Amino acid sequence: MFSCDAVGLVTGTASAVSLIRASPSATLASVVRPDPPHVHADWDIHAIVRKMSDFNLTVAPVMDDHHLMIGVITVDDVLEQLLPTGWRRDYGMATAEE
């Protein structure tokens, strides 16, 4: 989960685990980790992989040059780009890529 300010700047992140473990009276500000790691849309796949690996991320916010969140990228998105074309067919998994 990402928290944003009034103009849409990402101010922090909170995992599902941290939200579940938080006291019912806790504020979002007390659970959110400030200054979350992020990626940019113009980064190559290797820079994204390094950032996600360095911070053990399964999802990362994608920011524009003004640090507004324009989307997210998941570990599944990254794997899809890194695995060779046709890998599903090679392992007997039907898919639209055939």
Side-chain angles (χ1 to χ4, degrees):
M1 168 192 202
F2 305 103
S3 65
C4 297
D5 66 12
V7 296
L9 294 173
V10 174
T11 57
T13 185
S15 69
V17 172
S18 66
L19 292 171
I20 291 167
R21 288 182 178 168
S23 165
S25 62
T27 64
L28 183 58
S30 69
V31 179
V32 168
R33 218 176 57 211
D35 195 27
H38 60 276
V39 300
H40 290 272
D42 60 349
W43 286 9
D44 69 22
I45 189 69
H46 302 290
I48 293 169
V49 167
R50 280 190 303 275
K51 178 68 80 157
M52 292 182 79
S53 177
D54 287 349
F55 289 92
N56 197 27
L57 302 174
T58 57
V59 62
V62 180
M63 308 281 201
D64 68 8
D65 291 336
H66 305 289
H67 281 217
L68 292 171
M69 189 167 80
I70 58 174
V72 297
I73 188 165
T74 67
V75 70
D76 291 338
D77 297 329
V78 171
L79 285 173
E80 196 67 36
Q81 293 299 309
L82 293 175
L83 291 170
T85 303
W87 73 270
R88 286 185 176 96
R89 181 184 59 249
D90 294 345
Y91 289 95
M93 300 172 73
T95 179
E97 72 181 17
E98 293 185 82

